[in-house]
Each structure stands twice: as structure tokens, then as C-alpha cells.
Amino acid sequence: MRRIAIIAALERELHPLVEGWRQRPLDHGGSTFRAFENGELVAVASGIGCRRAELAARAAMEEFQPQTLISVGMAGALIRSLKVGSIVTPNVIVDAATQVEYRCQASGDVVGGGVLVSVEEITESEAKASLAERFHALVVDMEAAGVAKVAQECNIALRCVKAISDEFDFAMPPLNRFVDQEGTFHTGKFLAWSGIRPQYWLATAMLARNSGRATQALAAWLRKNVNNARPEATVVTLKGAERFKN
């Protein structure tokens, strides 16, 4: 079996998958991440954002020398047909900040393909139409491009698996102010803030429910598919070869 490193932003995105796995801290470049190990599988919680995802992927490469990196987690839908809990396996990842595009292998038991765009902030509903138009993307996240960058530099395989937690028309509460420089979302501060603002109560409750559904769907997909996929292609950028190197 080839060693696989799974990178997710938050521990709660990994929890249904890694329950019972061995845990330990993973230090790299002055940052400490939480790593979970189970045989040839490793999962790392990076924190929110491409910078944190890139650091976690580099830490995993240094410590475990995986042959495949998988960016997993929750994502927002940029088209109305994607619903909460839908699994998306894009084969193009775009870094909105740099405009660099990465190709990866879509595989598993769902129809894969399409574009994912990684952005620097949690995307509110009014920005989704613009992202879809600019990048022709199906989904938006904040981490995949960071993982893709490391996979491309290390010349190893890349996969990306995302579960929809917020649909196209979902009115996202203002969450960005509660994410710190280390990519940590301060749930307690957000709940205290929203608790005295009734206009956000329904959206907050829906987001919690939808995130739970997405996390369970993601874990179920990974348990079924992560060890059973066909051999992946090495990730390339669109500035390089226009086809996968087998």
C-alpha cells in the first residue's frame, strides 16, 4: 500500500474518520499540527487557509514521505445543483490569489471533475456568483491550493475530496473576524457574538447542522474510497505539461 497523507483544515472535519487512530503532535517551521496515524494512512489538521494547509502538507512530507496528498474538508457550492452533503472530487484546483491552476486525479465512487477555487477568506453568499463567473468553478474552499502546491513541488500524486456544507444561496454569517492568524476558528467568541444578535441565530443553527452532515458524508466517502482508488497521476500545473504524467 502506498502511504497517503490527508490534509484537512479542522480536526472536526477528520473526527468521524480518525476516531481510534493514534494521535501525536507534528512540529514544522515553528508550527504544531495534530496528526492521526492508522497504518499507511496519516491525517493532519492544518488550520484554516492555504498558508496553513501548505505548512501542514510540508510537515507531512518531511515526517511521513507520503506518495499521495489528499486535500479534504468542507466547501461551498458555486452552483445550485450541489446540495449539503454532496461529495465533489475536482480535477482542477485554482489558487484565486496567484491565478495558478493545478490538475489532479478525480476518482472514487462519485462522478468527478470540474474546478475548485481556493480563496483567502470564508466566502459569503454575495461573492459566490462572481467566483463562479471568474473561475468557472463548481465549489470554493480555502485550503486545496496550498496542498496542491506542495504536491506539485514534490512531484507526487494529489487528490481533492470536498463535501458541501453551504449551498449556493446560503446566507453565511460573518465568520472571518473569528479566524486568527494560525487558522483557528474561535467558536466560543463567535457564539458569544451571535448570541446577542437574533438575526444570525437561524443561519448559525443551520450551519452547524449542515457542517455535521458534510463531515459525516466526507468520512463515509474516505472510508470507502481512500484505499481503493486506481493509481493516481502526478499533479502538474497548467504552466507545465498539459497532461498527467503516469
Side-chain angles (χ1 to χ4, degrees), residues 173-195:
L175 302 178
N176 286 299
R177 69 187 71 180
F178 302 101
V179 180
D180 67 19
Q181 292 297 313
E182 298 302 310
T184 300
F185 180 74
H186 294 277
T187 303
K189 290 182 180 180
F190 169 68
L191 292 177
W193 178 88
S194 61

mmCIF file of all heavy atoms in Angstrom, residues 173-195:
data_model
loop_
_atom_site.group_PDB
_atom_site.id
_atom_site.type_symbol
_atom_site.label_atom_id
_atom_site.label_comp_id
_atom_site.label_asym_id
_atom_site.label_seq_id
_atom_site.Cartn_x
_atom_site.Cartn_y
_atom_site.Cartn_z
ATOM 1 N N PRO A 173 -23.156 33.523 7.983
ATOM 2 C CA PRO A 173 -22.873 34.555 8.997
ATOM 3 C C PRO A 173 -21.468 35.123 8.781
ATOM 4 O O PRO A 173 -20.619 34.487 8.151
ATOM 5 C CB PRO A 173 -22.953 33.774 10.320
ATOM 6 C CG PRO A 173 -23.672 32.512 10.008
ATOM 7 C CD PRO A 173 -23.378 32.199 8.574
ATOM 8 N N PRO A 174 -21.175 36.309 9.315
ATOM 9 C CA PRO A 174 -19.840 36.900 9.147
ATOM 10 C C PRO A 174 -18.816 36.200 10.038
ATOM 11 O O PRO A 174 -18.608 36.565 11.191
ATOM 12 C CB PRO A 174 -20.049 38.362 9.556
ATOM 13 C CG PRO A 174 -21.224 38.330 10.481
ATOM 14 C CD PRO A 174 -22.109 37.219 9.994
ATOM 15 N N LEU A 175 -18.135 35.205 9.479
ATOM 16 C CA LEU A 175 -17.252 34.345 10.257
ATOM 17 C C LEU A 175 -15.790 34.762 10.221
ATOM 18 O O LEU A 175 -15.016 34.373 11.103
ATOM 19 C CB LEU A 175 -17.366 32.900 9.744
ATOM 20 C CG LEU A 175 -18.751 32.254 9.759
ATOM 21 C CD1 LEU A 175 -18.667 30.849 9.172
ATOM 22 C CD2 LEU A 175 -19.316 32.204 11.168
ATOM 23 N N ASN A 176 -15.386 35.522 9.212
ATOM 24 C CA ASN A 176 -13.957 35.772 9.007
ATOM 25 C C ASN A 176 -13.288 36.458 10.196
ATOM 26 O O ASN A 176 -12.111 36.197 10.481
ATOM 27 C CB ASN A 176 -13.752 36.606 7.735
ATOM 28 C CG ASN A 176 -13.962 35.791 6.474
ATOM 29 O OD1 ASN A 176 -13.262 34.817 6.231
ATOM 30 N ND2 ASN A 176 -14.970 36.154 5.692
ATOM 31 N N ARG A 177 -14.011 37.296 10.896
ATOM 32 C CA ARG A 177 -13.415 38.020 12.016
ATOM 33 C C ARG A 177 -13.043 37.106 13.181
ATOM 34 O O ARG A 177 -12.308 37.518 14.081
ATOM 35 C CB ARG A 177 -14.368 39.110 12.509
ATOM 36 C CG ARG A 177 -15.627 38.584 13.193
ATOM 37 C CD ARG A 177 -16.610 39.682 13.522
ATOM 38 N NE ARG A 177 -17.249 40.208 12.336
ATOM 39 C CZ ARG A 177 -18.156 41.194 12.364
ATOM 40 N NH1 ARG A 177 -18.472 41.769 13.522
ATOM 41 N NH2 ARG A 177 -18.713 41.616 11.250
ATOM 42 N N PHE A 178 -13.514 35.858 13.143
ATOM 43 C CA PHE A 178 -13.254 34.923 14.234
ATOM 44 C C PHE A 178 -12.180 33.890 13.881
ATOM 45 O O PHE A 178 -11.981 32.930 14.615
ATOM 46 C CB PHE A 178 -14.558 34.225 14.642
ATOM 47 C CG PHE A 178 -15.619 35.197 15.071
ATOM 48 C CD1 PHE A 178 -16.649 35.550 14.196
ATOM 49 C CD2 PHE A 178 -15.565 35.797 16.319
ATOM 50 C CE1 PHE A 178 -17.612 36.468 14.581
ATOM 51 C CE2 PHE A 178 -16.524 36.722 16.709
ATOM 52 C CZ PHE A 178 -17.551 37.064 15.836
ATOM 53 N N VAL A 179 -11.495 34.088 12.751
ATOM 54 C CA VAL A 179 -10.384 33.230 12.351
ATOM 55 C C VAL A 179 -9.084 33.988 12.617
ATOM 56 O O VAL A 179 -8.899 35.098 12.113
ATOM 57 C CB VAL A 179 -10.469 32.854 10.858
ATOM 58 C CG1 VAL A 179 -9.294 31.956 10.464
ATOM 59 C CG2 VAL A 179 -11.794 32.158 10.558
ATOM 60 N N ASP A 180 -8.173 33.394 13.405
ATOM 61 C CA ASP A 180 -6.939 34.092 13.737
ATOM 62 C C ASP A 180 -5.821 33.761 12.748
ATOM 63 O O ASP A 180 -6.016 33.020 11.780
ATOM 64 C CB ASP A 180 -6.505 33.808 15.180
ATOM 65 C CG ASP A 180 -6.087 32.355 15.421
ATOM 66 O OD1 ASP A 180 -5.770 31.629 14.452
ATOM 67 O OD2 ASP A 180 -6.066 31.942 16.592
ATOM 68 N N GLN A 181 -4.631 34.293 12.982
ATOM 69 C CA GLN A 181 -3.509 34.128 12.073
ATOM 70 C C GLN A 181 -3.011 32.689 11.988
ATOM 71 O O GLN A 181 -2.334 32.314 11.025
ATOM 72 C CB GLN A 181 -2.352 35.047 12.498
ATOM 73 C CG GLN A 181 -2.641 36.526 12.332
ATOM 74 C CD GLN A 181 -2.863 36.898 10.876
ATOM 75 O OE1 GLN A 181 -2.100 36.502 9.991
ATOM 76 N NE2 GLN A 181 -3.911 37.656 10.603
ATOM 77 N N GLU A 182 -3.315 31.883 12.989
ATOM 78 C CA GLU A 182 -2.917 30.481 12.981
ATOM 79 C C GLU A 182 -3.977 29.576 12.359
ATOM 80 O O GLU A 182 -3.865 28.352 12.416
ATOM 81 C CB GLU A 182 -2.606 30.009 14.407
ATOM 82 C CG GLU A 182 -1.456 30.759 15.063
ATOM 83 C CD GLU A 182 -0.179 30.633 14.246
ATOM 84 O OE1 GLU A 182 0.180 29.499 13.888
ATOM 85 O OE2 GLU A 182 0.453 31.671 13.959
ATOM 86 N N GLY A 183 -4.994 30.178 11.774
ATOM 87 C CA GLY A 183 -6.032 29.391 11.114
ATOM 88 C C GLY A 183 -7.012 28.744 12.058
ATOM 89 O O GLY A 183 -7.718 27.806 11.681
ATOM 90 N N THR A 184 -7.089 29.240 13.296
ATOM 91 C CA THR A 184 -8.015 28.697 14.285
ATOM 92 C C THR A 184 -9.310 29.487 14.271
ATOM 93 O O THR A 184 -9.288 30.732 14.313
ATOM 94 C CB THR A 184 -7.400 28.754 15.691
ATOM 95 O OG1 THR A 184 -6.196 27.989 15.705
ATOM 96 C CG2 THR A 184 -8.366 28.192 16.734
ATOM 97 N N PHE A 185 -10.428 28.787 14.209
ATOM 98 C CA PHE A 185 -11.729 29.443 14.314
ATOM 99 C C PHE A 185 -12.152 29.432 15.778
ATOM 100 O O PHE A 185 -12.238 28.381 16.397
ATOM 101 C CB PHE A 185 -12.780 28.738 13.463
ATOM 102 C CG PHE A 185 -14.136 29.386 13.543
ATOM 103 C CD1 PHE A 185 -14.377 30.586 12.895
ATOM 104 C CD2 PHE A 185 -15.160 28.820 14.295
ATOM 105 C CE1 PHE A 185 -15.619 31.204 12.976
ATOM 106 C CE2 PHE A 185 -16.403 29.432 14.383
ATOM 107 C CZ PHE A 185 -16.628 30.625 13.723
ATOM 108 N N HIS A 186 -12.425 30.617 16.322
ATOM 109 C CA HIS A 186 -12.765 30.750 17.741
ATOM 110 C C HIS A 186 -14.281 30.623 17.905
ATOM 111 O O HIS A 186 -15.017 31.613 17.887
ATOM 112 C CB HIS A 186 -12.240 32.073 18.277
ATOM 113 C CG HIS A 186 -10.741 32.135 18.298
ATOM 114 N ND1 HIS A 186 -9.986 31.599 19.318
ATOM 115 C CD2 HIS A 186 -9.848 32.623 17.395
ATOM 116 C CE1 HIS A 186 -8.700 31.773 19.071
ATOM 117 N NE2 HIS A 186 -8.586 32.380 17.898
ATOM 118 N N THR A 187 -14.709 29.381 18.080
ATOM 119 C CA THR A 187 -16.139 29.084 18.148
ATOM 120 C C THR A 187 -16.809 29.796 19.310
ATOM 121 O O THR A 187 -17.914 30.351 19.160
ATOM 122 C CB THR A 187 -16.349 27.571 18.276
ATOM 123 O OG1 THR A 187 -15.712 26.911 17.176
ATOM 124 C CG2 THR A 187 -17.826 27.224 18.272
ATOM 125 N N GLY A 188 -16.165 29.791 20.474
ATOM 126 C CA GLY A 188 -16.763 30.429 21.644
ATOM 127 C C GLY A 188 -17.016 31.907 21.436
ATOM 128 O O GLY A 188 -18.089 32.434 21.794
ATOM 129 N N LYS A 189 -16.045 32.602 20.853
ATOM 130 C CA LYS A 189 -16.207 34.029 20.592
ATOM 131 C C LYS A 189 -17.329 34.283 19.591
ATOM 132 O O LYS A 189 -18.111 35.230 19.740
ATOM 133 C CB LYS A 189 -14.895 34.618 20.077
ATOM 134 C CG LYS A 189 -13.796 34.686 21.119
ATOM 135 C CD LYS A 189 -12.541 35.323 20.540
ATOM 136 C CE LYS A 189 -11.430 35.401 21.581
ATOM 137 N NZ LYS A 189 -10.195 36.011 21.024
ATOM 138 N N PHE A 190 -17.401 33.426 18.560
ATOM 139 C CA PHE A 190 -18.471 33.601 17.581
ATOM 140 C C PHE A 190 -19.842 33.378 18.216
ATOM 141 O O PHE A 190 -20.773 34.153 17.988
ATOM 142 C CB PHE A 190 -18.284 32.642 16.412
ATOM 143 C CG PHE A 190 -19.482 32.575 15.507
ATOM 144 C CD1 PHE A 190 -19.839 33.666 14.733
ATOM 145 C CD2 PHE A 190 -20.284 31.440 15.472
ATOM 146 C CE1 PHE A 190 -20.967 33.621 13.905
ATOM 147 C CE2 PHE A 190 -21.405 31.382 14.667
ATOM 148 C CZ PHE A 190 -21.747 32.488 13.877
ATOM 149 N N LEU A 191 -19.973 32.336 19.033
ATOM 150 C CA LEU A 191 -21.267 32.056 19.658
ATOM 151 C C LEU A 191 -21.665 33.168 20.620
ATOM 152 O O LEU A 191 -22.844 33.529 20.706
ATOM 153 C CB LEU A 191 -21.217 30.710 20.376
ATOM 154 C CG LEU A 191 -21.094 29.484 19.466
ATOM 155 C CD1 LEU A 191 -20.979 28.218 20.299
ATOM 156 C CD2 LEU A 191 -22.275 29.392 18.514
ATOM 157 N N ALA A 192 -20.685 33.729 21.348
ATOM 158 C CA ALA A 192 -20.995 34.845 22.233
ATOM 159 C C ALA A 192 -21.451 36.061 21.442
ATOM 160 O O ALA A 192 -22.399 36.765 21.827
ATOM 161 C CB ALA A 192 -19.773 35.184 23.087
ATOM 162 N N TRP A 193 -20.767 36.308 20.296
ATOM 163 C CA TRP A 193 -21.128 37.438 19.447
ATOM 164 C C TRP A 193 -22.506 37.254 18.831
ATOM 165 O O TRP A 193 -23.346 38.161 18.852
ATOM 166 C CB TRP A 193 -20.071 37.593 18.364
ATOM 167 C CG TRP A 193 -20.313 38.696 17.375
ATOM 168 C CD1 TRP A 193 -19.941 39.993 17.485
ATOM 169 C CD2 TRP A 193 -21.000 38.575 16.119
ATOM 170 N NE1 TRP A 193 -20.331 40.703 16.375
ATOM 171 C CE2 TRP A 193 -20.984 39.859 15.526
ATOM 172 C CE3 TRP A 193 -21.606 37.517 15.450
ATOM 173 C CZ2 TRP A 193 -21.566 40.106 14.288
ATOM 174 C CZ3 TRP A 193 -22.192 37.768 14.217
ATOM 175 C CH2 TRP A 193 -22.175 39.047 13.644
ATOM 176 N N SER A 194 -22.737 36.077 18.266
ATOM 177 C CA SER A 194 -24.021 35.838 17.580
ATOM 178 C C SER A 194 -25.172 35.661 18.566
ATOM 179 O O SER A 194 -26.334 35.880 18.206
ATOM 180 C CB SER A 194 -23.921 34.613 16.673
ATOM 181 O OG SER A 194 -23.620 33.444 17.418
ATOM 182 N N GLY A 195 -24.841 35.278 19.804
ATOM 183 C CA GLY A 195 -25.900 35.030 20.788
ATOM 184 C C GLY A 195 -26.731 36.244 21.122
ATOM 185 O O GLY A 195 -27.886 36.096 21.561
#
